[in-house]
Amino acid sequence: MKTFKPLFLTLALSITTLTTYATEPTIAQQKQVAGYYHHQIGNTQITALLDGTNYLNPSMFKGLNDSEKSQILKKYHADQAKGIQTSVNAFLINTGKQLIMVDSGAASCFGTHLGSIYNNLKASGYEPSQVNSIFLTHLHPDHVCGISNNGKANYPNATLHISKTEYDYWLSPNTVKKLPKDKQIGFLATVDKIKVALEPYENAKKIKVFSDKSLRFGNVEFKPSFGHTPGHYSFKLKADGQDVVFIGDIVHSHTLQFEKPETAIEFDIDPQAAIQTRLQHFAQYAKEGQLIAAPHLPFPGLGYIYTNGPSYQWIPIHFKD
């Protein structure tokens, strides 16, 4: 014998169901934990600091067509919705005697999506006043702007170390005269940001410009890596029989420029020299199994380079609690 629900009951159940779906709460996006990561090498501690995430227009990468870029990004499951994702990182080195910083992030020079290094440094257990030395791989704003804020030094007890070639290139009034007209406005805008960042250290006489003939400062060895900028340097730290190279901007993408290392980026001042530097250093680091620290590879930017032919692969370190 069939039974039938009254029409009003059926309607009531349907309304209840609709109401349940309509009022189902959405989950708010939560903030991530503070962006720092400690990595131990013997009795030396390296702390990676995250400034934030930047997104680059694919057109900035030169030497590949759109189809090639898309295929590589899909291969590595790289989210392309906002552009090509790149981290902005800096690094602290605690030797037990000194607290050294390599690069400093962008602060407010590129917008609110960057600028977290200062707070992440404090969250990691250090105070800005403890930093003794800051080694700048080069003077692009996403590496130098983080050293100061509103005319005051963020790291008042630190001395800056900058290569002479790099310092002269950006701060000599003669450089802009040698550039094409269409490049001069952008160059001068960058120089203004550099000058503002450096000013409190200039006033305090806390800038040391090292010669291209220099080899090291203490246990930090200078490694020329020209091309991205004329005075771009990487820094190699030796500690307890081990070492790590802070490579700076010889690479900006762990997908495109590892799969096709001959790919330049728009920010390279001498693209061909930058490509040769990347090819040479990638080959060396892959052969030696060298631990590297990179400001624009996925945070924490610590890992190794693997090769099996003309292409390379980024192998990040495993998280250690």
Side-chain angles (χ1 to χ4, degrees):
M1 180 178 176
K2 293 182 178 180
T3 60
F4 298 92
K5 294 179 181 177
L7 181 58
F8 74 86
L9 180 58
T10 302
L11 288 171
L13 288 171
S14 299
I15 292 169
T16 301
T17 303
L18 288 171
T19 303
T20 300
Y21 282 117
T23 59
E24 186 173 330
T26 57
I27 299 174
Q29 186 172 342
Q30 301 295 317
K31 287 186 176 182
Q32 295 286 8
V33 295
Y36 66 88
Y37 180 79
H38 296 305
H39 182 77
Q40 202 79 9
I41 297 181
N43 198 38
T44 298
Q45 186 182 74
I46 297 171
T47 301
L49 302 171
L50 177 65
D51 203 41
T53 301
N54 208 11
Y55 296 91
L56 304 177
N57 191 311
S59 66
M60 292 179 175
F61 290 89
K62 309 299 182 181
L64 295 172
N65 61 43
D66 291 344
S67 176
E68 289 172 319
K69 292 175 189 176
S70 182
Q71 288 176 7
I72 293 170
L73 292 168
K74 285 180 180 178
K75 174 181 176 179
Y76 291 99
H77 301 278
D79 183 3
Q80 304 174 56
K82 296 180 181 179
I84 296 176
Q85 181 174 322
T86 180
S87 292
V88 178
N89 310 317
F91 302 91
L92 281 178
I93 305 165
N94 185 352
T95 67
K97 296 179 180 178
Q98 278 198 318
L99 187 62
I100 300 169
M101 195 171 185
V102 180
D103 292 327
S104 69
S108 60
C109 278
F110 290 118
T112 56
H113 62 296
L114 299 174
S116 297
I117 281 177
Y118 186 79
N119 288 333
N120 282 331
L121 180 147
K122 292 192 289 185
S124 74
Y126 294 104
E127 290 297 326
S129 59
Q130 293 177 280
V131 178
N132 306 113
S133 298
I134 300 175
F135 289 85
L136 296 170
T137 57
H138 62 299
L139 292 180
H140 274 159
D142 57 326
H143 296 256
V144 71
C145 280
I147 62 176
S148 60
N149 183 35
N150 292 325
K152 293 184 178 180
N154 280 338
Y155 307 98
N157 297 318
T159 297
L160 307 184
H161 298 265
I162 308 166
S163 90
K164 185 178 189 306
T165 302
E166 186 74 0
Y167 187 89
D168 290 346
Y169 175 79
W170 293 104
L171 298 176
S172 169
N174 294 322
T175 303
V176 70
K177 299 174 185 177
K178 302 174 185 176
L179 298 176
K181 290 287 185 182
D182 62 334
K183 300 284 187 183
Q184 291 182 2
I185 293 176
F187 177 83
L188 291 174
T190 299
V191 168
D192 285 344
K193 292 177 179 178
I194 294 170
K195 286 181 176 178
V196 168
L198 294 179
E199 184 178 16
Y201 297 88
E202 295 272 20
N203 293 340
K205 299 187 180 344
K206 284 185 170 289
I207 296 181
K208 285 191 175 181
V209 177
F210 61 84
S211 164
D212 292 338
K213 296 180 180 179
S214 300
L215 296 176
R216 66 175 61 249
F217 180 86
N219 55 354
V220 178
E221 178 185 341
F222 306 148
K223 291 178 63 66
S225 45
F226 308 141
H228 182 61
T229 63
H232 184 286
Y233 269 79
S234 303
F235 301 110
K236 184 173 186 176
L237 172 76
K238 293 183 176 292
D240 299 305
Q242 305 175 63
D243 48 56
V244 56
V245 178
F246 300 85
I247 64 171
D249 282 12
I250 69 170
V251 62
H252 288 79
S253 170
H254 73 290
T255 54
L256 297 181
Q257 290 181 303
F258 274 78
E259 186 77 11
K260 297 288 186 180
E262 63 275 15
T263 304
I265 192 169
E266 191 172 284
F267 309 126
D268 293 335
I269 291 173
D270 186 339
Q272 288 307 310
I275 289 170
Q276 290 307 310
T277 289
R278 181 163 47 258
L279 291 170
Q280 177 188 345
H281 287 226
F282 272 20
Q284 177 186 350
Y285 299 150
K287 181 179 179 181
E288 296 174 354
Q290 175 69 62
L291 174 64
I292 65 172
H296 294 308
L297 295 183
F299 183 78
L302 293 163
Y304 301 87
I305 296 175
Y306 170 79
T307 184
N308 186 20
S311 296
Y312 293 86
Q313 191 172 351
W314 172 240
I315 308 295
I317 58 168
H318 291 285
F319 184 92
K320 293 180 181 178
D321 194 348

